[in-house]
Every structure is written in C-alpha cells, then in structure tokens.
Amino acid sequence: MAKEVPALMSSQTSTARGSEPPPGSRSLTRFGTSPSSSSSLTLITWSLRSSRLRSITTRSSATVLAARTSFSAGPPGMMMVEEGRVFEVPGPMEHCVPLPEGPPHSPPRVVVVEESPPPVVHVQQEPTLPEMCGPPAPEMQFHPEVRKMQAVRGERMRILKRPNGDYSPKDISGKKTSVETERVHPFDLVEPMQYLFVRIVKARGIAPPSDSPYVKVRTSSHYVRSKPASFRPNEPNDSPEWNQVFALGYNKTDANSATLEISVWDSPTENFLGGVCFDLSDVPVRDPPDSPLAPQWYRLEGGAADQNPGRVSGDIQLSVWIGTQSDDAFPEAWSSDAPYVAHTRSKVYQSPKLWYLRVQIIEAQDLNITPNLPPLTAPEIRVKVQLGFQSQRTRRASMNHHSASFHWIEDLLFVAGEPLEDSMILLVEDRTTKEPALLGHVVIPLSSIEQRIEERHVAAKWFTLEGGSYCGRVYLRLCLEGGYHVLDEAAHVCSDFRPTAKQLWKPPVGILELGILGARGLLPMKSKGPGKGSTDAYCVAKYGKKWVRTRTVTDSFDPRWNEQYTWQVYDPCTVLTVGVFDNWRMFADVSEDKPDCRIGKVRIRVSTLESNKVYTSSYPLLVLTRTGLKKMGEIELAVRFACPSLLPDTCAVYGQPLLPRMHYLRPLGVAQQEALRGAATKMVAQWLARSEPPLGHEVVRYMLDADSHTWSMRKSKANWFRIVAVLAWAVGLAKWLDDIRRWKNPVTTVLLHILYLVLVWYPDLIVPTGFLYVVLIGIWYYRFRPKIPAGMDTRLSQAEAVDPDELDEEFDTMPSSKPPDLIRVRYDRLRMLAARVQTVLGDFATQGERVQALVSWRDPRATKLFIGVCLAITITLYSVPPKMVAVALGFYYLRHPMFRNPMPPASLNFFRRLPSLSDRLM
C-alpha cells in the first residue's frame, strides 16, 4: 500500500530565494515521495550610511563613535568583513516573530537577503517600523537573534539622507517583458503570468470508502494538498466532493518533460485510494473570454508500487488547463505564491453609501422643569443627539415666558451610512444644576427620515418625548441630504466629488486603468527564524468608492502581482492612491487582530496623465518614522487614462464647480467639515473591516490620510516654503526690473525703453501682448513637462533632514503622552514661532493702517500734504496728455544710476511716517 510524505513547496518562495526546485520523484514510485531540497546559503551584507552629527555635546559624538565601533565588530557567531563583503549564517527558517520596537535612535540594522546570484544588497538604515503596525503588546517576547541586531545610537543626530534622485520615480517602460502566448492577453498593462489550473470537483465509487479523503496535486516543482472532502446529505461516503481550484506556477520551457500527478488519500490512515497522471505538454490553454473548461470523469489507477492494484476503483471529476491571472478562476484559486487563507486573497471592495443627516432642533414644549429655582435663574435646557458613535449637543435654549416653550433653531449634522438600520436618539437635558437631569428622549429610525437631493423645504414634525408619563414634545426638521458629497478623504487628495444621490451623477468622462506589476527591494518587515527576515506584501488601491486589494505574495522581497483594475472617471481632477502593506493578519488567530504594517504609498493625480498613454513607472515607497525618512523599496505601476483627447465633456469639467451644488447653497464650516470627515473615515473603516478578507482599520486610515491635519513642525516648514516658491516668480520679476533700472545690461535696458514707448503709444497692444507672452511661456515650458506622473517629493515635504525632536513631536499622541518637562520645552518653542508669526501679521496690519491714514486725518499735516499732492496730480493729468505723462514716469523710473540718489525716495519716506494703530495696543 503506497504511502506519501507531504512536502509542501512553493515555487514563488523557491524562486525568490534562489533555490532549485526539488527533483521529481517518479523514479521511486508513481506516487512516491519527494526528497527535500537542500537549503540555500544565506547571504548577509550590511553597509554603514554616513550620518551628520548635530554639534551639541561631546557626549553625542562619543556615543555615535562607540556605536560604530560596536557595530563594526558584528554580532557574535558571524563572519564579518567590511566594505560589502559576504557573511554566511547557516540555519533553517523556524518561526515568525515580530521585530521589537527599539529606542527612538537605534543604529543601522543588519538585513538578511536571500537572492539568486548576483546577490542584491538591501540597506536598512533604521529599525523595522513597529510604530507603523501600532504599539506591540508589552508582554511580547522577541527572538534573541533579533536582539543581536540591536545597538546603541547617539541621542541627538541630524539625519543625512541620500540625494533626492534616489527618491524620484523612474520610467521602466523599456524593462517590461511579455510572455509569448498563443493569444492576445486582455490585460495589456501587466505581464501575463501563466498558471496551471487544476479544478477538483468530486469523486464517485471510491473503494474502500473513506470518511475524510483528500487530494494531493504534485508537479516537478509544486506540491499542494486539498481540504478534506464534504458529503451531501443522505449520500454514501464513496462520493466525496471538494470543489476546489489550484493555480500552480507554470513554466513553458519545462512543460515538455513534466507530468501532473493527482492522487486521492484517506486522511486518518494515509491509505492510497488511487490517482491519475497528465502530461503537461497535452494540457489545453484557455484565455478569457473562453467559457470555463468542462470537468470530466477520469478513472482512478493504482501506483506502480501497489501490491494489489486491482483493489483501486472509482472515478474523479476534474479539469486541467493553462491560463493566466486574468482567468475568472484565479481570484478564488489556491495560488502557489500565497497560502489558501482568507487574508491573502485578492478582492474588490465598495465603500458604503454615506449621507449627511441634518437635524434642525426648533422648539420644545410642555417640559417638566425642576421647580423651586433660585430667583432670576433661567433653566438651562439643552438637546443631545446621538447617532452610533457620533454625539452632539445644542447650545442653551432661549425661553419664551408667555408660552413656557424653549427655542433653539439650530442645525446639527451627522454622517449616516447605508443600509439605514440605525436609529437616532434625541435626549432633552436640564443642566441647570451640577447633575444633569433627563427630561425625556425620543428614538427615530433613520429609515423613516425623508431624503432630499436639492434645496427644497422639508416639513417639520412634532415628536412626543418618552420617559414615563407625558414629558412634553419637541419640534424637529429632519432630512437626509443627498446633494452633498460626504468627504472621507482630505480635500486636496480626494478621488471623488460626486454627490450621494445617484440621480445627480453626471456621465463618466473616461476610464482609469491601473496595472500593479510588483515591487522591488522591499525591506524585511518581520523576523523569521534566526537571522532571517521576511515580508508578506500586498497592495491596496483606492479611487472613488472602489477599493482593490491584490493577493499576498508570501516571503518575498520582490513580489510580482501583475493584477489590473479599472475605474470610471467622473472628474479628472482627482487622485488615485496606491499603498503597500505587510500582511500580519494571516498569522493571527481568529480571536486576535494583528494590524498590518504599512510599507509606503503613492498618489497619482489623474489630470496629470495624457489621454490614452500608458505610463509604466517605478515609484519609491517612502515612510516617515520616528527615526526619520526611510525608503522601504519600490513599486512598479502601469497607469492609463482612457479618454478621448479634448472631448467637450472633459473640457467642460474644468469650468464646473468642484463640489456639488449644495456645498455652495448651504456651505459647511471648515471645523464642521473636518469633524464630519473624521466620522466618515471611521464608518468606512468599520464597513470594510466586516469584509472577507477584511481591510484593517489601520489600512483604511493610512489610505484616507486620516491624520493629515495634525500639527507638525515639518509640515509647517513645508507649507512656508511652498508659499515662498509660489511668490518666487514675483521676486524674480522684481529683481529683473531692478537690474534693468540699474542698467546692469545696457542693451536690455535700451530694448525695454523701446518696447515701453511702443506700448505707451499703442495702448491697445498691451493686453494682447501680455497674453502672447503667456502663450510663449507655456510653449517654452512644454519642453520641461514631466514625462511620468510625480510621486512623493521628499524635498517638498521637508523630510530629508528633520530634527529628531520635531519628528518625535509629530508622532506624539493627542493628548500628549510625553513627560511634562519635554512638553514645556516644546510649548516654549511653539511660543517663539508664534511670536514671529505675530510680528509678521502686525507688520501687515501696520501697512494697511498707514494706507487708511492717508485720508483719515489722524495726522492732519500728512493728510493735507497728501490731498495737495493728489490735487496737483489731478491738474497735471488734466492738462498734459496721458501718453506724455506715462513716458515721463517710465523714463524717470528707468533713469541711469548716475542720476539716482542712493537714499530712499520721498514718497516711501512719507508713507513710513504715517501713523498706525500699533501705538494703541496694550
């Protein structure tokens, strides 16, 4: 009776680690065992990146020197040679443990890279990002080998980063390789990946009958095992069913001599129940839109080593074909580069349909107010409204003493999501005393509230308060607003501006196609055995209401997904967000929830894409941690915006309002909009967390930029330099004019005199000449247009050289969890910055008040002088032709420096002497 030893192997893991696939076992027996392959050598390289120390104390320099000395010595038990030489560390992969959360200033790490030759060196500058995964459990114990990779770094260090070129996107369109197939691949943005599909449906007449049979599928490089069979009610146990599909990596060059072995085994006793073999060279090829291959019945046969082959009987129904990742069976198939668990499947998600719930609280009557109030004391009546985790309270009501009623006329806005199964709870409270008293409540189901899609009147209704006997009534106007767009993303990176009501949607203007090719050079995100790192990466893309998630490629630093997705584009001025994460939930139990670690993300603005052009680019995956900027790897994407060039509908979008009409008829405040956005983000995260496989809360918040408005000194500096860059053209123009009037280039100054004379004599040419210059400038800059969509800009983000204390402040919680002394220092620093801003604002106010003082008679002599000068200018302009005046003023401004006084002009001196209101400030 033939026995078989399970030897689960993964082609993708073997390829990533450079190990050869195990040889076939057909020489031993037809369904024999497969000898295990020898483990490959582990190559370790590390490189010390130069760091620029902050010259604060001698202690920090000595600490860094000691860290470098200890780091050069290397961990015990390792061969160490400097300058990129090879280290060898034996040891099999055992178990997976998370990397520990090191101190804020940890040293460069040793990164283990297992690659096929030539070896690829991955340099990890700071520790693997535990803060991106959320705080680890305090009782978690880490592997000793991980602790060996820790060392000490100086307390204060200025991080010296690589040039921005390493962080810039690159065009890789020439590197794209295609696999030759018999048919045209329908997904043209990604590389076709061929798979051997095996669909196991069911069996019949198996002898001897088994209560829990399973199927083994084996090729020369793959071995998989099916789930236990199931049986239909009232059916004999000789007819098991599996209904399972396997997708195994397929190499056309090795298919001529390879075979596929499918065998049935009894689970408790491991008895061989029969099998069937296929020659891979005869397996048919299927590409969509072909219909699925019909399964067929095959007779089960005994093995060559079976002593009694005649006892094997029964048939198995299956189908075998060769296809690509575009096959409709691929998403649910067991793939050779990902285990068959729910958290590794590729899926498409939809965000919930969100509404704004407007609650207008108008009036309340017949309330049971607390008697015996002190004299001249009005009761403080407030209304509290709750909807799920959202809660708001009105201001204090105004009381009508004639009717003993209370009035508010106040609007409260909430976010409600479909299906509208929740209920709104309204509480009327008397907060006159220290302990609030509940006067009554009312519960209103959301499904009973009227929906409106435009600005129209909604009738108000009386609702009776509950809470025992008659407690009074409240007058409310309720409606679900469908004319707004519920923002769940930051406005500057929003991917959709459509209103909630589908009746208001306009037709799409194009189709956005995204091909997620793969990633290169990912850093290890978890420790796997002694001295080994591992990354189980998957990709998430979000545009509009549609989210997509690729499959998880396990234990690979260079995963290849090659998955393509499409979205309808309703507004080209939107942003596509693509993020890469490390899968931790696949290792977690059902009861625990391990957050996935973020590796990085990329944003692509659709309006920057030319119509019908394929952009195949590699983008750096950058993450800002407590220890500074870190490059986690690169992601390769192919993007195309399929849209007719200069379509009237597309061009008309640029002249339409960005947000729906209701945002302008009844606008929302900035603080109110931000609070509603936080609620919408939380509702989207809760909705997607209930999917299978779920998208974690940390993934949704990272993709939606939920923390984009938190305080950061780095972001404040970045925004300041953005303002400076915007005003740079004005500064440059002023400098150019100053050079002209100083005659630094006499030829240019003379030509400007001639141009000025022409424009003064023919003033009707001024406006056309200005627009002509704009056209010429646009044509000139066409040469310097971006060739690929831009990614994250480290220089613009001020992330290349960041003070560690500022980074620690940026990642601090709210409220702060830091010691009081550190908070005091940061508060004093913030006060100093605010003092500078206060001074600048005061200077702006002073200049404006001086302009007002020209005619306000605060300084009578100055006002008399100004009025007299204005009268003289008026008489001059009435008596002298305006062209002569313009020529005289222009030539006076452009006069030679030999006729110029180095002191400030009289007009500027007069303006600076005008009074302002700064002398009235206390």
Side-chain angles (χ1 to χ4, degrees), residues 92-112:
M93 184 174 295
E94 295 179 355
H95 57 280
C96 177
V97 295
L99 288 178
E101 181 175 359
H105 312 290
S106 301
R109 285 278 178 90
V110 178
V111 180
V112 180

Side-chain angles (χ1 to χ4, degrees), residues 572-587:
C573 303
T574 46
V575 177
L576 167 68
T577 305
V578 182
V580 182
F581 301 88
D582 180 57
N583 198 330
W584 278 80
R585 285 183 171 84
M586 58 186 292
F587 300 106

Side-chain angles (χ1 to χ4, degrees), residues 446-465:
L446 295 182
S447 56
S448 62
I449 298 178
E450 182 180 356
Q451 301 177 1
R452 71 172 182 178
I453 62 176
E454 56 186 8
E455 179 68 14
R456 62 176 179 83
H457 179 73
V458 177
K461 299 180 181 179
W462 287 99
F463 294 87
T464 303
L465 296 177

Side-chain angles (χ1 to χ4, degrees), residues 67 70 81 105 117 168 236 311 319 321 332 339 464 493 512 515 537 556 593 627 705 717 738 748 839 856 883 904:
S70 61
V81 186
H105 312 290
S168 300
R311 69 171 184 83
S319 58
W321 72 94
E332 298 297 334
T464 303
V493 293
L512 178 63
S556 175
D593 185 19
T627 53
D705 277 335
K717 293 179 180 178
D738 187 68
T748 306
T839 303
S856 63
K883 294 183 180 180

Side-chain angles (χ1 to χ4, degrees), residues 143-180:
H143 199 277
E145 291 294 335
V146 179
R147 295 199 183 103
K148 291 181 181 180
M149 300 162 69
Q150 309 273 344
V152 181
R153 178 188 260 186
E155 294 182 357
R156 300 284 293 177
M157 180 179 293
R158 177 73 67 172
I159 302 169
L160 182 62
K161 296 299 177 184
R162 291 179 290 181
N164 194 51
D166 295 341
Y167 300 138
S168 300
K170 304 173 184 177
D171 185 10
I172 59 171
S173 56
K175 299 180 181 180
K176 182 178 177 181
T177 59
S178 59
V179 180
E180 295 183 0

